[in-house]
Amino acid sequence: MRRTSLIVATGLLGAAAFAEPVENFALADQHGVMHELYALAGAKAVVIMIQGNGCPIARNAWPHYRQLRESYSDKGVEFLMLNANLQDDRASVLHEAATFAIDAPILIDRTQKVGESLQLIRTAEVLLIDPATWQIVYRGPIDDRLTYEAQKPAATEHYLRDALDAVLAGRSIETPRREALGCLINFPDRQAQQQDSSEVPLRHASH
Amino acid sequence: MFHTKRLVLLAFLFAPSILRASDPPLVLGDFGLVDHRGVQWTLSRLGDSKAVVILTQANACARNLDLLPKYKLLRTSWEERGIEFLMLNSGPDDLESVRRTAAAYDIDFPILLDDGQLLVQTLGVTYAAEVFVIEPRSRRLLYRGPLTAGSATGGPRGVLKFESSLESVLTRAAAGSVDATVTVAAGADAEAACVVKAPLRAVPDYAADVAPVLMRNCTRCHAEGGIAPFPMNRYLVVRGFAPMIREVLMTKRMPPMQVDPHYNHFENASYISTADVQTLVRWVDAGAPRGDATVDPLERDVKPLRAEWQLGEPDYIVDVPAFDVPATGVIDYFNHTIDLPFAEDKWVRAVQFIPGDSRVLHHLLAYVAAPDTPVGELAVSEDNVSDFLEGYAPGKADATPFPEGTGVFIAKGQKLVMQMHYTPIGVAATDRTRLGLYFHDEPPPRKYQTHSISHWSGGVLEIPPGEANHRMNHNYLVREDMMLYALRPHMHYRGKAFRFSAVYPDQSTEVLLNVPRYDFKWQPTYRLTEPKLLQAGTRIIIDGVYDNSPYHPGNPDPKAVVTGGLQSWDEMFIGYITYTLPNATDH
């Protein structure tokens, strides 16, 4: 009988686990105003929505993010946005914000280093951070209303709202992570890193 | 032979779709492929299955045929436990040869055709008869390796027990426990005919290779002022969106309005060649490099879209009432009824739409309706509609002249009914669309007309909650010779696939149009590049598939029983045919 070997692999790159705290960062927003994460230590919760120009899901999510800000900012919740896109800069973000009436601070991450440290994948994701521990206690979509090229008239699940209620009440969040729908963010340095760490490119191992 | 493969290699293959280091490994990007029977399979839509087994296949690979009985036994054991079995042709072999091989050997699995070897390369398939197992909701890879990898225990005195690694994985998947690990079984050396011939290609050059592909396929919508949310008008934008470009190509979401290229050719369908898709994907996978050219072709050549009357000033311009589109939400289709002031009968020879705000006008359909049509109503019945005039779909804001010698008839007193479809874009917008009509001076020889082959009212259409493949079927007998010009499938949000076929008087059959991925949001009337003469006695058959599962994107309510009705959360089943009657003595 031919002997075959079995390799059971665990984990991926062995990098930061989900439960680790977010490192401090400071970024200027679209108006040139500096925002430092740890300066928000006094907030009950910090929410960061990942923005990107030209993404229909991010655009359609913004009015609902704004509604949540209207309900929760007087409860001590800070609402920010973050753009880690290669192709966006302060000028184009200002233009998009004007067109789409976005009046939240959009932190501009030109080097993509903050985006990488937050392990971002797509725009329109929201990250809910607890300043007591600086841990991300929820990350994922705002709700279940939006999908690619389609939206429902109303959400049936309100993930971010429920997570905010839980944090404010000191309860734990049932599903701390959900797959976000939105536009993939190109992180060339991350893509290159993953390629460099390969030994034998599997797809060429056929000969 | 013992192969050491590090997990991180597989990470390289899936680079664009990796979630994060702390997540379970090896998440695949979504993909969609059409099988040898014209049915599209999209991974993210298979959420009802506990696992999807992909058996790679190549016509010339003897091992596939040796193992075929084992594949069938495996399917028999596992399909009732929620495991879906697909084959992936890794040859690559063409459709006809795959069909012949499947028929000859009774290979009754869906065989996904991957002309561009995109999925083959994404998975890193090295030889046919390799097996992959994927959990469709998380899109995690659970297993890769040969069918028969495993370990033996016991014997010589005790019972020799062979435990297949694949079956261990399937056991766990069927029990709903998704592995945090992937099982990789090293394979034995493969015979030459099974080895995937994936040629190494040079990285495409942005200016010389990639920009022309984008201008050929994308920038008619991805330009300023178009329906697309961002313009492809400079390198940096395209580089930033490179992972999205790959994703929408792999799932066949883009370009929109794709039809099965194996059946007839339609002048207003989207066709993107295998070579063009490979150019884009290969370039994205190589990191979307800028290359050395000084001039950026996209920056130089992609101009804002500006509409003008292409056939000169129209004979009559219809101003569609202005509509305020809110920032967000869903706007159901609605109708404008518009009076026409003509003092005599008119024959329309050409039509052009100039959208007001093409970012929000998703499409519109214009019909000629009876004089007594109430405002806002569309006379939709089982047998026919008011005469269809023309539709507008994005990317096709060109003038549409009707075929030589034909025209659409508007009787004196008839009205225009325009069915509007708007989509909110995140900011409020107002649309003021215009429709330009061009008339014949004399009545043309033939009337250009549309008939609906329709079967949805009276309780016949009822889709149970959660049903992923509800089928509807209807047919229509052509009673006099007809010159067929165009076809339009019509279903609502749950529509998944649609096909028009013909059975000719001599009992031969032909697929007229196959739309493997029906999308309610894109509904062009597909115009045959070469019109077909259908003889009297031909039967036109329509087949539709609906998906009311939670895995169908945009399904308004997978828990609802869906019945036939006018609203878009109801369903319809209609195949529109547009034709003239060459032998008609009068109109």
Side-chain angles (χ1 to χ4, degrees):
Chain A
M1 182 188 318
R2 206 164 259 155
R3 203 158 54 101
T4 53
S5 312
L6 202 75
I7 300 162
V8 175
T10 57
L12 184 56
L13 298 166
F18 178 66
E20 283 194 12
V22 176
E23 287 178 359
N24 194 16
F25 59 81
L27 289 172
D29 70 14
Q30 74 272 36
H31 301 295
V33 176
M34 194 61 89
H35 298 261
E36 184 188 340
L37 180 64
Y38 281 21
L40 302 173
K44 293 280 183 347
V46 175
V47 193
I48 307 179
M49 175 175 155
I50 309 305
Q51 186 268 346
N53 293 351
C55 179
I57 295 186
R59 287 172 172 173
N60 273 293
W62 156 248
H64 293 261
Y65 190 64
R66 185 182 53 213
Q67 273 172 12
L68 282 169
R69 183 184 67 184
E70 272 152 36
S71 308
Y72 286 87
S73 41
D74 60 3
K75 297 191 172 112
V77 182
E78 287 285 338
F79 286 82
L80 301 173
M81 297 174 91
L82 176 76
N83 180 313
N85 279 353
L86 268 188
Q87 69 274 27
D88 297 340
D89 59 13
R90 208 173 124 185
S92 62
V93 169
L94 261 174
H95 183 254
E96 173 101 352
T99 309
F100 290 90
I102 303 175
D103 61 348
I106 306 171
L107 278 52
I108 314 275
D109 181 21
R110 289 303 284 146
T111 64
Q112 297 189 304
K113 291 305 161 207
V114 175
E116 280 173 16
S117 92
L118 293 173
Q119 298 172 343
L120 300 183
I121 305 287
R122 291 183 190 263
T123 61
E125 184 182 24
V126 291
L127 283 65
L128 173 55
I129 299 168
D130 181 353
T133 56
W134 294 114
Q135 284 181 344
I136 302 172
V137 295
Y138 171 75
R139 66 186 304 167
I142 293 174
D143 53 36
D144 67 345
R145 203 175 59 88
L146 301 173
T147 181
Y148 299 104
E149 288 191 75
Q151 47 185 311
K152 299 200 282 200
T156 48
E157 303 282 343
H158 303 267
Y159 308 124
L160 178 59
R161 193 191 65 193
D162 293 346
L164 280 166
D165 289 340
V167 165
L168 294 174
R171 286 182 276 115
S172 68
I173 290 158
E174 212 177 282
T175 309
R177 179 176 54 222
R178 294 180 182 275
E179 184 173 12
L181 279 68
C183 298
L184 288 166
I185 303 170
N186 190 359
F187 284 102
D189 289 348
R190 191 165 72 186
Q191 185 185 358
Q193 249 174 42
Q194 286 155 352
Q195 287 174 352
D196 285 343
S197 56
S198 63
E199 284 184 310
V200 177
L202 201 59
R203 68 177 86 167
H204 301 313
S206 53
H207 308 293
Chain B
M1 232 171 92
F2 184 84
H3 294 280
T4 309
K5 296 186 182 74
R6 298 191 47 111
L7 215 284
V8 70
L9 295 177
L10 297 163
F12 157 62
L13 295 170
F14 307 130
S17 60
I18 290 177
L19 283 184
R20 48 190 66 84
S22 52
D23 279 1
L26 305 180
V27 175
L28 292 168
D30 196 16
F31 61 82
L33 287 174
V34 179
D35 73 16
H36 70 300
R37 299 166 184 143
V39 175
Q40 176 158 335
W41 297 82
T42 304
L43 179 63
S44 60
R45 295 192 184 205
L46 297 175
D48 279 336
S49 299
K50 297 273 173 29
V52 178
V53 174
I54 296 183
L55 309 160
T56 57
Q57 178 267 347
N59 291 347
C61 178
R63 187 182 294 172
N64 278 139
L65 298 174
D66 295 340
L67 290 176
L68 186 58
K70 285 201 159 76
Y71 295 152
K72 293 187 176 185
L73 279 174
L74 196 68
R75 181 179 59 190
T76 305
S77 311
W78 290 97
E79 64 185 351
E80 260 147 54
R81 296 170 67 175
I83 311 291
E84 182 79 62
F85 286 83
L86 302 174
M87 284 189 171
L88 170 64
N89 180 272
S90 59
D93 297 311
D94 64 87
L95 172 62
E96 281 316 306
S97 64
V98 170
R99 281 193 178 150
R100 275 198 308 272
T101 304
Y105 297 100
D106 190 30
I107 305 175
D108 59 348
F109 293 81
I111 305 175
L112 305 180
L113 299 169
D114 188 13
D115 289 349
Q117 294 188 300
L118 294 168
L119 182 60
V120 163
Q121 291 182 348
T122 301
L123 290 173
V125 178
T126 50
Y127 61 94
E130 194 171 2
V131 182
F132 294 80
V133 182
I134 304 167
E135 198 285 306
R137 271 177 272 186
S138 63
R139 301 194 307 277
R140 294 221 292 267
L141 183 68
L142 301 179
Y143 176 87
R144 70 169 298 162
L147 187 69
T148 50
S151 49
T153 54
R157 289 294 176 92
V159 174
L160 190 69
K161 197 167 153 256
F162 178 76
E163 200 204 342
S164 150
S165 332
L166 170 60
E167 300 222 43
S168 315
V169 169
L170 293 180
T171 306
R172 289 195 290 281
S177 99
V178 183
D179 286 340
T181 62
V182 64
T183 303
V184 179
D189 296 326
E191 78 201 62
C194 303
V195 170
V196 172
K197 295 157 202 51
L200 286 174
R201 289 187 190 85
V203 176
D205 179 71
Y206 165 72
D209 305 317
V210 176
V213 170
L214 296 174
M215 288 192 283
R216 196 158 44 239
N217 294 285
C218 317
T219 57
R220 64 178 183 270
C221 295
H222 280 274
E224 270 176 49
I227 188 82
F230 68 90
M232 293 186 187
N233 56 8
R234 54 196 179 99
Y235 165 70
L236 199 53
V237 171
V238 169
R239 185 181 187 218
F241 278 98
M244 278 312 290
I245 290 173
R246 189 188 201 283
E247 179 170 277
V248 298
L249 289 172
M250 290 293 287
T251 55
K252 296 187 189 287
R253 228 155 58 217
M254 286 284 139
M257 301 178 286
Q258 290 184 50
V259 301
D260 190 334
H262 296 106
Y263 305 109
N264 294 307
H265 191 275
F266 295 84
E267 60 186 28
N268 58 339
S270 291
Y271 297 96
I272 182 165
S273 70
T274 302
D276 282 356
V277 178
Q278 285 176 316
T279 298
L280 293 177
V281 172
R282 183 93 183 85
W283 182 69
V284 172
D285 287 347
R290 173 65 176 82
D292 296 326
T294 17
V295 176
D296 180 345
L298 294 183
E299 212 166 324
R300 181 189 63 203
D301 297 337
V302 178
K303 303 275 180 272
L305 297 171
R306 213 183 317 277
E308 51 187 21
W309 299 119
Q310 291 167 357
L311 302 174
E313 192 64 15
D315 296 320
Y316 183 77
I317 297 174
V318 176
D319 287 299
V320 182
F323 185 78
D324 297 320
V325 181
T328 188
V330 176
I331 302 172
D332 214 18
Y333 288 28
F334 66 90
N335 300 316
H336 287 302
T337 304
I338 298 172
D339 290 327
L340 296 171
F342 309 137
E344 56 184 5
D345 296 343
K346 295 289 189 193
W347 287 89
V348 182
R349 65 178 170 85
V351 165
Q352 185 177 353
F353 294 98
I354 294 187
D357 190 338
S358 52
R359 300 173 306 163
V360 290
L361 176 62
H362 205 280
H363 71 262
L364 79 84
L365 303 166
Y367 298 85
V368 180
D372 56 3
T373 301
V375 171
E377 290 290 307
L378 183 64
V380 176
S381 68
E382 275 280 315
D383 302 313
N384 213 334
V385 295
S386 320
D387 287 332
F388 181 68
L389 174 61
E390 184 54 22
Y392 161 81
K396 290 290 170 187
D398 298 329
T400 305
F402 296 126
E404 189 72 38
T406 74
V408 174
F409 179 63
I410 302 180
K412 171 181 163 186
Q414 280 191 309
K415 301 181 186 183
L416 214 55
V417 175
M418 305 188 71
Q419 185 184 82
M420 314 297 295
H421 181 204
Y422 288 109
T423 47
I425 53 164
V427 68
T430 301
D431 175 66
R432 288 181 184 83
T433 287
R434 289 175 296 160
L435 164 60
L437 299 175
Y438 301 83
F439 301 128
H440 283 286
D441 297 323
E442 295 295 324
R446 302 277 160 261
K447 183 177 176 187
Y448 195 67
Q449 52 194 314
T450 299
H451 176 81
S452 66
I453 304 170
S454 169
H455 197 52
W456 55 268
S457 64
V460 300
L461 178 46
E462 192 170 293
I463 309 171
E467 172 57 53
N469 287 292
H470 184 83
R471 308 191 114 76
M472 289 293 292
N473 173 277
H474 197 46
N475 67 72
Y476 170 77
L477 180 64
V478 174
R479 290 200 156 82
E480 43 184 315
D481 289 356
M482 130 187 326
M483 185 63 85
L484 182 67
Y485 286 96
L487 298 165
R488 175 163 76 97
H490 183 65
M491 300 185 282
H492 290 174
Y493 280 118
R494 278 97 166 177
K496 179 153 86 167
F498 200 104
R499 185 183 295 223
F500 286 84
S501 313
V503 181
Y504 296 113
D506 65 357
Q507 305 277 289
S508 64
T509 63
E510 181 186 353
V511 174
L512 297 171
L513 167 66
N514 182 26
V515 181
R517 187 186 170 275
Y518 176 81
D519 193 327
F520 170 65
K521 299 173 297 300
W522 300 92
Q523 287 189 47
T525 297
Y526 292 106
R527 289 196 297 273
L528 281 160
T529 303
E530 278 179 35
K532 272 190 180 311
L533 180 64
L534 303 182
Q535 290 181 328
T538 299
R539 206 169 272 275
I540 299 177
I541 300 172
I542 56 172
D543 287 290
V545 185
Y546 297 80
D547 185 346
N548 193 24
S549 76
Y551 308 103
H552 185 75
N555 185 348
D557 185 3
K559 300 196 182 76
V561 173
V562 185
T563 54
L566 296 174
Q567 303 303 326
S568 47
W569 53 82
D570 302 321
E571 272 303 330
M572 281 193 180
F573 179 53
I574 306 177
Y576 292 98
I577 55 173
T578 301
Y579 59 93
T580 60
L581 299 174
N583 303 328
T585 47
D586 60 34
H587 298 105

